[in-house]
Amino acid sequence: MNLPRYFSVIAPAPWNKSGKTKVTVRTGGAYQVYLCVGNDRSGMTEGEAWALWVALGNALHATYGDTPAWATEQAAPTKQEG
């Protein structure tokens, strides 16, 4: 079993007093991928996680356009081969 790794971002959440919520993804552990949005949690397989990634990307881009600045600023840097 792989050791768990955690990846988190802070997102706008108008339903909270603070106006923000933490979104965390854990890889490894009991589920291949474990998603937490505020207090909502969902375990899934790697395939389900990739499907969610693609579906969200397609839907958000088609409906809302380009990635907002707050999301881009929190994106993990990509490793470039070279």
Side-chain angles (χ1 to χ4, degrees):
M1 180 184 314
N2 294 335
L3 292 175
R5 291 182 62 194
Y6 295 84
F7 305 87
S8 296
V9 296
I10 302 297
W15 61 87
N16 280 343
K17 281 184 177 181
S18 69
K20 299 177 181 181
T21 192
K22 187 174 186 178
V23 177
T24 301
V25 173
R26 182 189 75 205
T27 59
Y31 297 99
Q32 288 180 320
V33 179
Y34 194 70
L35 171 67
C36 300
V37 180
N39 292 324
D40 296 328
R41 292 164 169 74
S42 181
M44 60 189 80
T45 66
E46 177 186 354
E48 291 168 327
W50 278 112
L52 176 61
W53 177 268
V54 172
L56 281 171
N58 292 339
L60 292 173
H61 184 73
T63 305
Y64 302 107
D66 292 334
T67 306
W70 67 263
T72 302
E73 292 165 0
Q74 295 185 75
T78 57
K79 184 177 181 182
Q80 294 184 350
E81 301 285 331

